[in-house]
Amino acid sequence: MEYRQFGKTGIKISELGFGCWEIGGGYGSIEETEFIKAVNRALDLGINCFDTAEAYGFGASEKSLAKALGSRRKDAVITTKFGVGYPDATNYRDGSRKRMTACIEKSLTALGTDYVDVYLVHWPDVNTPFDETMHALDDLVKQGKVRAVGVSNFRLSQIQEAVRTRKIDVVQYCWNMFDRRMQKEIFPYCRENNIGVMAYGSLAYGMLTGTLNEEQAFEKNDWRSNRGQLANLNLFQHLFGPEYFLNNLRAVEELKGIAKRYGKSLPQFALRWTLSNPVISTALVGCRNPREVDDNVGALGWSISDADMKEIDAIFTKHRVVSSPESWLES
């Protein structure tokens, strides 16, 4: 396994991170026994980054991760998140001190631990002053319940407002071949300020697995069955929306050819692309079973040539792929 510095946290994080959204529900059927085996296989291979959130099944993902880690919790760098999914809150979001205080205790209980390594605000709550949120996060660090703090999916202006109160250690954003919005403002800011960056959606929610097809029928309990519609989020429309889906699949077919030149699977090639950006600390990817973990580590220890990086861009242009939509991550 290869490791990178996690911003200024002092933590060395594995280049590949294990994303735990899927086990929380919403991605079709997943066997918990296979998930547990996958987590332990990841640990055996040196993967130490495990990312979950309160909103992933409201405790379900955290509890499954705790069960999987068992006595190996000390070998894991756990990131969890709060701040979204509350029916009693405006826009289902709440970044208040009161909510955070309650949520961290629930997460610690679900995870079976007395601290988390990184605690993030999952989505910005514009109805709570950011200074309240950041002061509350800082207090969690002082209490020893959290080692580092940060935000996910914040606009640059929101980050700049938040850091007036407390520095941000880590951020988490979508970053893959099909979504490059963060290269414009967010990543340059993180590079300049030495902020750790977690990339989620590294395989574009399945698009870069190479297993989808034009007649794709997702399970009813899979959010992708709505063709990219998930509340007010603009993360997915340009991937699965009917005006984009077929063009994206055609681009993927051509990407397989480049991956083959390297003797790599498409997921390995896509993960390598994500990690090619030096601002990235870790690339998160969900794993349903040990076989997927084993495949993912094939993304490490090699590089994509400049010529092939340009060919990827040419393929996207050819198929009219929209990789940097003007819209932000939500409407």
Side-chain angles (χ1 to χ4, degrees), residues 29 35 40 51 116-117 131 165 178 198 210 213 243 257 280 283 290 316 320 330:
S29 303
F35 169 80
N40 280 273
D51 178 75
V116 293
D117 298 276
D131 71 326
T165 301
F178 284 93
M198 307 179 77
N213 58 67
E243 66 269 46
I280 301 299
F316 276 40
R320 301 190 301 279
E330 55 187 328

Side-chain angles (χ1 to χ4, degrees), residues 2-16:
E2 298 180 12
Y3 300 86
R4 297 185 179 184
Q5 292 295 329
F6 208 15
K8 297 179 181 178
T9 65
I11 298 170
K12 284 193 174 181
I13 200 81
S14 54
E15 288 191 350
L16 287 181

